[in-house]
Amino acid sequence: MTRWLPHLFVLFLASVPLWMTDNYILHILITTGIFIIAAMSLNLLLGYTGQLSLGHVAFFGIGAYASALLSLGFEAHIAPGLLVKVLPKPVWFAMLGGIASAAVCGYAIGKLAFRVRGAYFVIVSISFAEVVRLVALNWVELTQGPMALNNIPALKLGAAGLELSFLKKPMVYTLVLAVAVLSYVLIRRLVQSRAGRAMIALRENESLATSVGIDVTAYLVLATVVASAIAGAAGALYAHYVRIVDPDIFLFIYTVTMVIMVVTGGKGTLAGPIVGGVLFGLLPESLRAMAMPPEVQWIAYGVLMVLVVYFLPRGIVPAINERWGAGEATASPLRNLVVAAKARS
Amino acid sequence: MRPGALDRDQRRFSLDQLLQHGLNAIILGGTYALLGIGLTLIFGIMKVVNFTHGEVYAFGAYVMFALVMPLGVNFFVALVLAMALGILLGAAIELLLLSRLRDADIDTTMLVMIGAWIAMQNTEQLAWTGVAHSIKNPFPPEPLVWGALSVSWNRLFVFAVASLLIAGTYYLVNWTKFGKALRATFQDRDTAALMGVRIDRVNTATFALGSGLAAAAGALLGPVFVVVPTMGDLAASKAFAIVILGGLGSVVGATVGGFILAFAEELGSGYISSGYRDAMGFVLIILILLVRPTGLFALKERIS
Amino acid sequence: MSIQFGRIIRTCAIFAPLLFSSAAGAQDAIKIGVSEPLTGAFAASGNYVAQGAKIAEDEINAAGGVLGRKIQLIIEDNKSNPTEAVSTVEKLTQKDKVPILMGAWSSTLTLAVMPKLEEYGVPMVVETSSSGKITTAGNPFIFRISPTSEMEAKAFQPLVAKLGIKKADFLFTNNDFGIGSGAEYAKMLKANGVEVGVSETMDPKATDFSAQLAKIKASGGDTLIVTTAVEQLTLILKQAKDQQLKVRVISCGGSNSPDQLIEQAGEAANGTFHTVFFPPWFPEVTKNPDVAKRYMDEWKKRGHNVGGLTEGFRGYDGIFTIVAAIKAAGKAEPEALRAALWGVQVKGIYGDIAFIKQGPAGKESGQNIPSVHLVTITDGKVSKLGL
């Protein structure tokens, strides 16, 4: 029975556009879904490798900007005297470009940032997102700076005559759901593979993992590349749905939203970001519906964050698992270590 | 005008400009250092990424505003009171939010601090609205002029007080019994505890001290700038950059880091592009990481 | 502490009528959507506009509403963020089903929501934004009552010779508002034989401008044209004085609240010039002084900040414009309102509000031609400067 539950859940979600006519609810579901995809990718770093990256929104934003720019076309000086001109590309190609750009940045940053750990890593990751934001803000020739990239085209698939347009909300919703399911499957395969066990091993005890021959940095970089590619995909979806991208997309508060989704749901569990994402995706709307002054909404949000951490320090999903003893079986750290060491030899 | 005269004129202008940038940087660096020191202590001793630092800074400025403007308290008395209240606020945050999370991992405490940061900033807006407030200062309105250079008396005062506070903190950390306990905790928390250091007290005191310095910075800079609810964000991001530059837990590092950041910002925006002014600190961080990942004055290896 | 509680009580008092009005008679009221920055970087100005809009709402409802129904403003916070602004329009049009909108304060915020207006076919009255792009982009749902930067620069033109401007430097925020205004003023000044020196930009959230000011001082112009909101302007005036930058400062864009400058920048505000779109110091010079007086009296009665008068009137005029359209259309439906807006004649504080066509043929946006006033501050007093 429990085995079929996830499939039934996905089927139910897939049926939503068939009976849901309220555009506003679809809008909330779409934006929540996009953030859940981003939160799932963050969970790979935060939950499975134990690295607290607070710059994750950078990959989301890079995916959004790269995809938007490729679909709109641009002309910019990459270096003095070196003018790069790109003609508008089809949206599906632009989105793949966005994902690739995010992955490449993930590789570079992974190589750089994993020279440090702990509190330092946290600040380095924030700095990275901040630098990207300031570049987006000031490189007006390329990004239009604070004027934002406007009129980004929506995704269209298929040839003339048989065209599939993702402009209307039910279609966008279906697309977001498909990407979310794909990302979920990808992440599950990764964390259940040998590479995934190595990641968990180094989360549990990094020095021990190193001593049995696990190339810690290589696995961390791998996790970062996959996580940033998925975050980039979420960003690309966002850009072609909202159809505007501005430098505020790199704001720290979006990273905070992703982190709180992961932690509330339960980091290091596959279902965690989804549960947390649904909760914190719908929360701002419910606060807004209570007709409170905006400052009070924010205060409530902040206080709720503190309370969640106090009362559910490990998250909702592990708490449920403990109570009913069901759900994902997590292998013991020692076993992870042994498997990972075997993978090396 | 002959071409030669123009050249000489321009050279003099650019030398004046350079000196003015330098003077601005020194004055700015003092306040940056003050902001950085408070954060680096909390960071080093408690391993807490303190997101409320910027809000305590804004709190200092708002206390200063409330005391000086509507209540008419003497400017200098208000300054001392703002710092004292900052210390109390810091102690309250530590006892209320952090003391129970002593053994929690770094992301748990950090999320609590982020929640507190969001709640505090919006409480400020609720209490004082988003409208900017300004604080009157008792200094002469005409700046101190020296040739083509000039600086306001208020900023000079800020620099002087900041220097005093930095020196005082340095003395406290390096020459007092409290400082010894602080340093012992930093080096090895467990051994320090075994040797009779009351870790919980050290934690509360550190957080209170760091917050007091942040509140002092806010109270000092409130009259220089204007007081708005979002003022803490920029201050916090500068403080983070300074801590990375200087190295975790190092008072000297934070001081030097503060001045490096100020010079990079002033000269960078003066001669490269003013738009990237606030990016300078982060660019420096990335450069430092490439060249010397342990920071300029790290007391402890940071690669685990 | 007492101040703090006073503020809280006042804040509650501001929102109490909102709660009350949404509870009573929500069934038959005509909804009007408003998207303003109530939190974040532009919170101060956004709240003023919202306060002005609420004065208009109460005044209209006290006079019996429109078409025999009351009006009800639904004010959403766009958090000074373009993406959030889009979200508020989603909410207002899809959930609240408002037939017409007002917003979204800054040019960037307004530009962000414009594609949504076309998607959902809902018209919007733009009350503050100044970027030329808004009315030239070919969006037939835009009706702007505020002046464009170009109009403002043109109104300023006679003063170039009068003030004897020879060389001007620029300092503006790096967004649509600042860059657009800088470009229009530079064009106008060049056409009048003025040399243009350095153009420095700043982040809208920046607080320290020492580096930019040192550069401007080195450029050696006689005039500095500044485009930003009042908070940054205050700091710029103070810091320019500290750095002995002895040039004539002219601020443009109309979000410069001279009252607040006098209060907060003190002596540093003396000798500066400002373009404003409503001069509350001498309401008699406006086209409709009786309307201006009524608005000012109510503003003061409610205890709102006097420094916000130059901002709040935008919301007041915006709501009256919308109500005039509802009256003319005879019903509250988006397409009828859009058609009716073309014919409205409103006696407002901006002047006599009516829309002319701007932008590509067939997809024109509406643009009002408001009055522009130039004022100067001397000895802590605002005085009028003849145009």
Side-chain angles (χ1 to χ4, degrees), chain B residues 31-33 35-37 40 237-247 253-259 261 285:
Chain B
T31 52
Y32 279 3
L35 269 169
I37 287 175
T40 207
S237 76
K238 305 276 179 204
F240 281 137
I242 292 161
V243 170
I244 283 278
L245 282 177
T255 311
V256 177
F259 282 101
L261 181 65
I285 288 178

Side-chain angles (χ1 to χ4, degrees), chain B residues 4-304:
Chain B
L6 189 77
D7 277 358
R8 208 166 46 240
D9 232 31
Q10 271 179 348
R11 254 204 310 280
R12 200 188 44 122
F13 258 131
S14 63
L15 182 66
D16 286 348
Q17 190 189 345
L18 182 66
L19 288 175
Q20 182 72 51
H21 281 311
L23 181 63
N24 291 347
I26 291 172
I27 300 282
L28 194 63
T31 52
Y32 279 3
L34 192 59
L35 269 169
I37 287 175
L39 192 67
T40 207
L41 283 176
I42 295 171
F43 235 142
I45 311 290
M46 302 176 64
K47 307 281 181 287
V48 167
V49 189
N50 179 18
F51 280 100
T52 60
H53 204 66
E55 292 324 305
V56 178
Y57 165 83
F59 171 81
Y62 270 114
V63 169
M64 192 75 185
F65 167 75
L67 290 176
V68 173
M69 299 308 283
L71 299 178
V73 176
N74 177 284
F75 186 85
F76 303 99
V77 176
L79 197 60
V80 175
L81 281 174
M83 188 168 166
L85 286 174
I87 291 174
L88 285 180
L89 177 69
I93 294 174
E94 208 283 330
L95 290 172
L96 205 70
L97 295 177
L98 290 174
S99 63
R100 297 172 214 184
L101 295 173
R102 192 129 302 159
D103 298 318
D105 43 351
I106 184 166
D107 33 331
T108 310
T109 54
M110 195 174 56
L111 276 175
V112 169
M113 297 319 276
I114 291 174
W117 160 57
I118 294 173
M120 282 168 80
Q121 185 172 107
N122 285 282
T123 309
E124 282 152 22
Q125 186 176 336
L126 191 65
W128 284 285
T129 74
V131 179
H133 296 293
S134 75
I135 304 170
K136 286 219 162 46
N137 67 63
F139 303 102
E142 293 307 318
L144 177 66
V145 181
W146 190 62
L149 300 183
S150 60
V151 60
S152 77
W153 288 98
N154 191 0
R155 284 202 181 210
L156 219 51
F157 169 76
V158 170
F159 181 73
V161 177
S163 307
L164 270 176
L165 287 172
I166 293 166
T169 312
Y170 186 77
Y171 173 79
L172 195 70
V173 170
N174 287 294
W175 302 97
T176 61
K177 202 163 166 236
F178 167 68
K180 212 173 205 170
L182 215 70
R183 281 176 292 137
T185 314
F186 178 80
Q187 276 174 5
D188 191 327
R189 169 178 295 260
D190 298 332
T191 314
L194 285 175
M195 295 296 165
V197 176
R198 294 279 304 271
I199 302 292
D200 48 348
R201 283 203 190 162
V202 169
N203 277 343
T204 312
T206 306
F207 205 91
L209 173 64
S211 299
L213 292 175
L220 284 168
L221 288 180
V224 174
F225 300 126
V226 285
V227 187
V228 284
T230 49
M231 68 187 292
D233 291 352
L234 201 64
S237 76
K238 305 276 179 204
F240 281 137
I242 292 161
V243 170
I244 283 278
L245 282 177
L248 198 138
S250 163
V251 174
V252 177
T255 311
V256 177
F259 282 101
I260 292 178
L261 181 65
F263 270 93
E265 283 188 3
E266 270 290 327
L267 299 179
S269 51
Y271 295 101
I272 302 171
S273 158
S274 46
Y276 282 100
R277 172 172 196 141
D278 295 321
M280 294 301 164
F282 301 105
V283 171
L284 271 180
I285 288 178
I286 290 180
L287 286 180
I288 292 273
L289 275 177
L290 282 170
V291 185
R292 193 184 151 87
T294 42
L296 293 175
F297 293 84
L299 302 177
K300 196 166 142 188
E301 193 70 4
R302 68 167 82 145
I303 301 173
S304 58

Side-chain angles (χ1 to χ4, degrees), chain C residues 24 43 54 148 151 158 225 234 281 300 359:
Chain C
K54 279 180 219 154
T148 62
M151 292 176 173
I225 311 251
T234 310
W281 314 275
K300 284 172 189 158

Side-chain angles (χ1 to χ4, degrees), chain A residues 147 150-151, chain C residues 103-115 117-118 124-149 176-177 180 184 357-360 363-368:
Chain A
M147 281 85 84
N150 288 300
N151 294 318
Chain C
W105 201 74
S106 93
S107 299
T108 304
L109 298 173
T110 304
L111 285 163
V113 305
M114 280 166 51
L117 304 178
E118 274 191 292
M124 179 161 101
V125 170
V126 177
E127 85 295 337
T128 307
S129 316
S130 64
S131 165
K133 279 199 280 184
I134 291 169
T135 37
T136 54
N139 187 320
F141 296 92
I142 285 289
F143 293 83
R144 165 155 62 182
I145 58 173
S146 52
T148 62
S149 301
D176 290 285
F177 170 49
E184 291 297 345
K357 292 188 169 180
Q358 253 188 13
K363 297 177 79 181
E364 294 98 339
S365 309
Q367 173 65 51
N368 173 36

Side-chain angles (χ1 to χ4, degrees), chain C residues 205-279:
Chain C
K205 291 167 194 146
T207 53
D208 195 305
F209 313 98
S210 49
Q212 285 96 326
L213 291 171
K215 216 166 158 182
I216 287 163
K217 191 176 175 184
S219 159
D222 54 53
T223 301
L224 173 62
I225 311 251
V226 184
T227 309
T228 181
V230 59
E231 291 83 2
Q232 281 192 326
L233 193 55
T234 310
L235 293 174
I236 290 166
L237 294 183
K238 277 168 127 179
Q239 291 172 20
K241 190 177 162 71
D242 293 347
Q243 294 218 6
Q244 296 258 294
L245 182 65
K246 285 172 178 150
V247 298
R248 178 190 301 116
V249 177
I250 298 170
S251 83
C252 22
S255 288
N256 35 20
S257 181
D259 278 327
Q260 199 170 326
L261 286 177
I262 292 169
E263 188 199 324
Q264 305 202 337
E267 270 185 52
N270 286 336
T272 56
F273 297 83
H274 311 274
T275 56
V276 295
F277 308 129
F278 168 51

Side-chain angles (χ1 to χ4, degrees), chain A residues 22-24 27 133-134 137-138 140 144-148 150-151 167-169 238 241-244 246 248-249 251 254 284-285 288-291 293-295 297-298, chain C residues 11 15 19 38-39 47 76-77 79-84 86-88 90-92 94-95 97 108 111-113 115-116 119-120 133 174-176 179 201 203-205:
Chain A
D22 189 328
N23 262 335
Y24 184 62
H27 166 72
R133 185 181 76 85
L134 287 161
L137 194 64
N138 289 294
V140 176
Q144 300 297 311
M147 281 85 84
N150 288 300
N151 294 318
L167 183 64
K168 291 271 179 266
K169 293 202 165 58
Y238 184 84
Y241 169 61
V242 178
R243 299 176 57 209
I244 168 169
D246 67 282
D248 275 1
I249 199 172
L251 280 185
Y254 292 119
E285 287 311 319
R288 186 177 273 182
M290 281 186 237
E295 299 93 341
Q297 291 178 26
W298 277 113
Chain C
T11 316
F15 286 99
L19 286 171
L38 304 179
T39 58
N47 278 299
E76 286 295 337
D77 176 19
K79 301 178 187 168
S80 310
N81 171 328
T83 309
E84 289 288 341
V86 173
S87 257
T88 59
E90 284 285 349
K91 193 234 165 204
L92 290 168
Q94 300 303 299
K95 186 175 176 222
K97 309 255 190 280
T108 304
L111 285 163
V113 305
K116 287 286 159 192
E119 189 177 334
Y120 297 127
K133 279 199 280 184
N174 56 351
N175 55 17
D176 290 285
I179 294 173
T201 61
D203 189 285
K205 291 167 194 146

Side-chain angles (χ1 to χ4, degrees), chain A residues 28-225:
Chain A
I28 294 172
L29 290 178
I30 290 167
T31 45
T32 305
I34 291 173
F35 268 96
I36 288 178
I37 297 173
M40 284 197 295
S41 72
L42 177 64
N43 188 32
L44 194 58
L45 282 178
L46 182 61
Y48 289 98
T49 69
Q51 302 300 318
L52 183 51
S53 160
L54 282 193
H56 206 60
V57 77
F59 304 116
F60 182 81
I62 288 169
Y65 260 103
S67 184
L69 281 171
L70 283 172
S71 67
L72 289 167
F74 60 91
E75 247 186 83
H77 292 82
I78 300 292
L82 179 65
L83 182 74
V84 173
K85 203 171 157 185
V86 173
L87 292 171
K89 298 277 182 294
V91 175
W92 64 266
F93 180 85
M95 289 176 91
L96 290 181
I99 295 170
S101 312
V104 169
C105 291
Y107 178 78
I109 287 305
K111 279 275 179 203
L112 183 67
F114 286 120
R115 292 163 153 231
V116 290
R117 292 285 188 278
Y120 277 103
F121 178 79
V122 170
I123 296 192
V124 170
S125 62
I126 297 179
S127 310
F128 167 62
E130 196 55 21
V131 169
V132 180
R133 185 181 76 85
L134 287 161
V135 169
L137 194 64
N138 289 294
W139 195 356
V140 176
E141 190 190 19
L142 179 71
T143 64
Q144 300 297 311
M147 281 85 84
L149 290 171
N150 288 300
N151 294 318
I152 300 168
L155 177 63
K156 273 199 189 94
L157 284 178
L162 205 87
E163 220 166 43
L164 216 52
S165 165
F166 291 86
L167 183 64
K168 291 271 179 266
K169 293 202 165 58
M171 288 302 284
V172 182
Y173 172 88
T174 314
L175 179 70
V176 169
L177 182 64
V179 175
V181 171
L182 208 68
S183 309
Y184 180 87
V185 172
L186 188 72
I187 290 171
R188 193 178 66 180
R189 291 205 64 148
L190 182 65
V191 297
Q192 289 176 351
S193 71
R194 287 185 166 165
R197 290 185 191 284
M199 287 171 197
I200 296 166
L202 74 91
R203 175 188 75 192
E204 301 297 335
N205 191 333
E206 188 169 336
S207 353
L208 194 57
T210 314
S211 72
V212 297
I214 297 174
D215 185 349
V216 169
T217 309
Y219 282 113
L220 285 177
V221 172
L222 172 70
T224 311
V225 169

